[in-house]
Amino acid sequence: MEVYRLWYQPMLNAMAEATTGTVFRESDKLKDSQKDAIKNKFKAFNTTLEEQLRIQQKWAIPDSQFREWVRECNIDAITYKYDDMCKKYEKVNFSSNNKKYIIYSTDDVEKTLSMFFDQKF
């Protein structure tokens, strides 16, 4: 289980830092370092999610109840935190095109996590 947690660590770190700390308003003028930090949070999340999808779609959990339980744990652990991160930054001007970094909706993340361990038997 420790190895499994390590795979998600960059994603969890990005979300943990995003849901704490300074709250920015839409009208705030951010420093370049603040903008870069926000961009890096979304890059880390996006990269980790995409890597894990590629890896974990190749894995199979034969027991359907256990597979669903693992998926639901992933969804619960990740989507709520991701939604909080998006809400915190969606109206903050950290980029000329925030959509370049906030590429997944919360629903997209949930659908992606639902595809994990989807190898057919």
Side-chain angles (χ1 to χ4, degrees), residues 101-112:
Y101 299 94
I102 306 175
I103 59 175
Y104 295 106
S105 69
T106 303
D107 287 341
D108 292 337
V109 171
E110 185 171 341
K111 287 175 189 171
T112 300

Side-chain angles (χ1 to χ4, degrees), residues 6-22:
L6 289 174
W7 290 329
Y8 288 99
Q9 203 59 52
M11 189 184 318
L12 295 171
N13 287 345
M15 292 184 300
E17 294 167 6
T19 56
T20 60
T22 307

Side-chain angles (χ1 to χ4, degrees), residues 45 73 78:
F45 180 88
C73 287
I78 295 169

Side-chain angles (χ1 to χ4, degrees), residues 50-98:
E50 292 161 5
E51 287 173 356
Q52 291 310 309
L53 177 61
R54 280 191 295 278
I55 292 167
Q56 294 186 23
Q57 272 189 315
K58 296 175 186 173
W59 294 2
I61 299 177
D63 183 304
S64 62
Q65 288 181 319
F66 184 62
R67 181 174 55 245
E68 274 310 305
W69 179 80
V70 172
R71 284 178 178 164
E72 288 301 318
C73 287
N74 286 340
I75 289 167
D76 289 346
I78 295 169
T79 55
Y80 299 115
K81 290 178 184 178
Y82 181 74
D83 189 53
D84 288 345
M85 183 170 77
C86 288
K87 285 177 181 173
K88 181 175 181 177
Y89 296 121
E90 68 187 352
K91 294 185 179 173
V92 175
N93 295 315
F94 65 88
S95 170
S96 59
N97 182 9
N98 286 6

